[in-house]
Amino acid sequence: MDKSAFLDAMNIQQWQSAANAQSQAAYLILHDDDDTPPTVEFVAQILRLLDLSEVEFAFAEQPIKGAQVIWDMRQRKTRPHTALIESAPMAQLLQQSQSKRELWQQICQHLNQLDARA
């Protein structure tokens, strides 16, 4: 049995050097594996709208411990809902105007919350 697989199964966090820990993105964008893959340019534009242009992000299919989910674009969302914004999968965003409207409403809501705090 692989040692790292055993430790992962036991939910034991493994030691990482500081260089490796910093190279992992602290922010995630969740998407379905069988969906149209989101482009980095599209995601960067949305993050700029959210005033998160300097954030390093990674794509993943499942949440990763220690990383904040900033956008969940999976078909089936899991609880608890911790993403900053949630949208339909990328294929639906490209085709359905209602999905785009819902994403835009969340962006506006986030910006209004930022203005209220300032």
Side-chain angles (χ1 to χ4, degrees), residues 13 15 18-19 21 26 35 38 42 44 50 55 58-59 62 72 79 101-102 106-107 110-111 115:
Q13 187 175 9
W15 178 85
D35 188 28
F42 177 75
L50 292 168
V55 169
F59 296 107
Q62 297 293 324
D72 189 349
R79 294 196 183 264
R101 269 189 229 105
E102 290 171 0
Q106 289 185 55
I107 292 168
H110 175 74
L111 293 176
D115 287 343

Side-chain angles (χ1 to χ4, degrees), residues 3 7-9 27 31 37 39 42 45 50-51 54 57 62-63 75 81-82 93 96-97 106 108 114-115 118:
K3 179 181 174 183
L7 292 174
D8 289 342
Y27 297 96
H31 68 98
T39 64
F42 177 75
Q45 287 177 346
L50 292 168
D51 204 22
E54 302 299 319
F57 63 89
Q62 297 293 324
Q75 183 67 36
H81 297 283
T82 58
L93 275 176
Q96 298 177 355
S97 60
Q106 289 185 55
C108 291
L114 289 179
D115 287 343

Side-chain angles (χ1 to χ4, degrees), residues 73-91:
M73 60 173 49
R74 297 175 297 172
Q75 183 67 36
R76 293 188 75 173
K77 316 288 193 263
T78 56
R79 294 196 183 264
H81 297 283
T82 58
L84 187 62
I85 58 173
E86 295 180 358
S87 72
M90 191 68 182

Side-chain angles (χ1 to χ4, degrees), residues 21-86:
Q22 290 176 351
S23 68
Q24 293 179 351
Y27 297 96
L28 291 178
I29 297 172
L30 300 178
H31 68 98
D32 293 324
D33 184 37
D34 58 349
D35 188 28
T36 304
T39 64
V40 175
E41 295 82 17
F42 177 75
V43 170
Q45 287 177 346
I46 299 297
L47 293 181
R48 273 194 297 278
L49 290 172
L50 292 168
D51 204 22
L52 296 171
S53 59
E54 302 299 319
V55 169
E56 288 188 30
F57 63 89
F59 296 107
E61 296 171 29
Q62 297 293 324
I64 298 173
K65 188 175 183 178
Q68 181 181 350
V69 178
I70 54 175
W71 188 355
D72 189 349
M73 60 173 49
R74 297 175 297 172
Q75 183 67 36
R76 293 188 75 173
K77 316 288 193 263
T78 56
R79 294 196 183 264
H81 297 283
T82 58
L84 187 62
I85 58 173
E86 295 180 358

